[in-house]
Amino acid sequence: MSTLETTRAELGLVVLYLNKAEARDKICRAIQYGSKFLSDGQPGTAQNVDKSTSLARKVFRLFKFVNDLHGLISPVPKGTPLPLVLLGKSKNALLSTFLFLDQIVWLGRTGIYKDKERAELLGRISLFCWMGSSVCTSLVEIGELGRLSASIKKLEKEIGNKDKHHNEQYCAKLQKSNERSLALIKAGMDVVVAFGLLQLAPKKVTPRVTGAFGFASSLISCYQLLPSHPKSKTA
């Protein structure tokens, strides 16, 4: 490929990435928690950016609760153990509730919903739901990683002395394992962020700690949403 064609292809990937509402939301999330880290809860420009970005992100999430509501009623893959099914459905239910209540919080902060005390209470309940969904996600990923590990070991025995890295099935399972490991790390970070936002341990999980974990979690989310890179043509 020529330099111009390569540049066009790279820009096409950037456009494709930025056209995703989810990607823009995660970029804003990185800005939000990066600002929280810088402000450390103190008044100033960084805290203003944190608050304004947090409010702007709620617009991206309008009616997003439908996604997890759909996941809640959708069938699960055959062979999935019952505990993982229940944890997965619990995650969907909790995340859907969080996103639904978050819309009421947005209405309260914009002045459309007048009962500020109730809006704040619902906001706190929504954060508990998000924390619960992150815990469920962590447990699901641990369970799935265990299943993948057993499957990979079984496949290694079948492959024997052959080069396993040339086996498509082995490589696919290994990639899936890496993806789930990253998702587990992100979910664990989100639990810490929820603790910080709820101020359950204010002396240990300070606004700066919350911001650091939230920023790192956001970068992982941005990475997970990257489009697959097109393979270059060979002569």
Side-chain angles (χ1 to χ4, degrees):
M1 292 175 70
S2 67
T3 305
L4 181 61
E5 287 176 333
T6 303
T7 305
R8 189 184 298 118
E10 295 293 344
L11 284 175
L13 287 175
V14 173
V15 171
L16 182 65
Y17 184 74
L18 295 176
N19 277 342
K20 297 178 181 178
E22 186 76 9
R24 294 197 300 272
D25 174 51
K26 299 310 177 187
I27 292 170
C28 288
R29 188 177 190 264
I31 294 170
Q32 175 192 344
Y33 284 105
S35 301
K36 187 179 287 292
F37 172 79
L38 293 173
S39 72
D40 194 21
Q42 301 302 314
T45 304
Q47 190 181 67
N48 292 338
V49 172
D50 173 16
K51 290 181 177 179
S52 60
T53 310
S54 174
L55 187 62
R57 285 187 61 226
K58 295 185 187 300
V59 179
F60 284 115
R61 299 201 296 261
L62 287 175
F63 302 109
K64 193 180 173 183
F65 70 92
V66 175
N67 293 357
D68 280 278
L69 195 60
H70 180 264
L72 181 63
I73 62 176
S74 297
V76 296
K78 289 182 179 180
T80 306
L82 183 59
L84 292 183
V85 172
L86 294 175
L87 283 169
K89 295 301 181 183
S90 297
K91 182 207 79 169
N92 291 136
L94 288 166
L95 194 54
S96 183
T97 304
F98 159 68
L99 292 167
F100 177 76
L101 293 178
D102 199 49
Q103 294 182 144
I104 301 174
V105 175
W106 174 72
L107 291 172
R109 290 184 183 177
T110 53
I112 298 171
Y113 184 68
K114 302 300 181 183
D115 193 337
K116 290 186 178 181
E117 288 186 9
R118 179 163 290 184
E120 289 300 320
L121 176 62
L122 292 175
R124 192 166 177 80
I125 292 171
S126 74
L127 286 174
F128 271 111
C129 289
W130 180 52
M131 183 171 67
S133 73
S134 297
V135 170
C136 288
T137 301
S138 299
L139 295 173
V140 168
E141 296 302 338
I142 289 171
E144 291 291 357
L145 279 169
R147 293 177 70 203
L148 269 171
S149 177
S151 179
I152 288 172
K153 286 179 181 178
K154 183 181 177 182
L155 188 60
E156 283 177 341
K157 288 181 180 179
E158 292 176 0
I159 294 170
N161 296 326
K162 296 177 183 177
D163 189 354
K164 56 190 177 185
H165 293 289
H166 286 134
N167 186 289
E168 290 185 8
Q169 191 179 359
Y170 178 85
C171 291
K173 286 182 182 291
L174 197 62
Q175 184 180 353
K176 194 69 178 175
S177 178
N178 292 336
E179 289 172 358
R180 287 200 174 277
S181 296
L182 192 61
L184 175 60
I185 293 169
K186 179 189 175 301
M189 287 181 171
D190 285 340
V191 172
V192 177
V193 174
F195 252 81
L197 295 176
L198 287 164
Q199 297 184 330
L200 298 177
K203 291 184 179 180
K204 292 184 178 180
V205 189
T206 62
R208 178 152 285 171
V209 172
T210 304
F213 274 83
F215 181 73
S217 170
S218 301
L219 291 182
I220 291 174
S221 294
C222 290
Y223 171 77
Q224 289 172 324
L225 290 167
L226 285 172
S228 56
H229 199 289
K231 294 179 180 179
S232 58
K233 295 178 182 179
T234 55

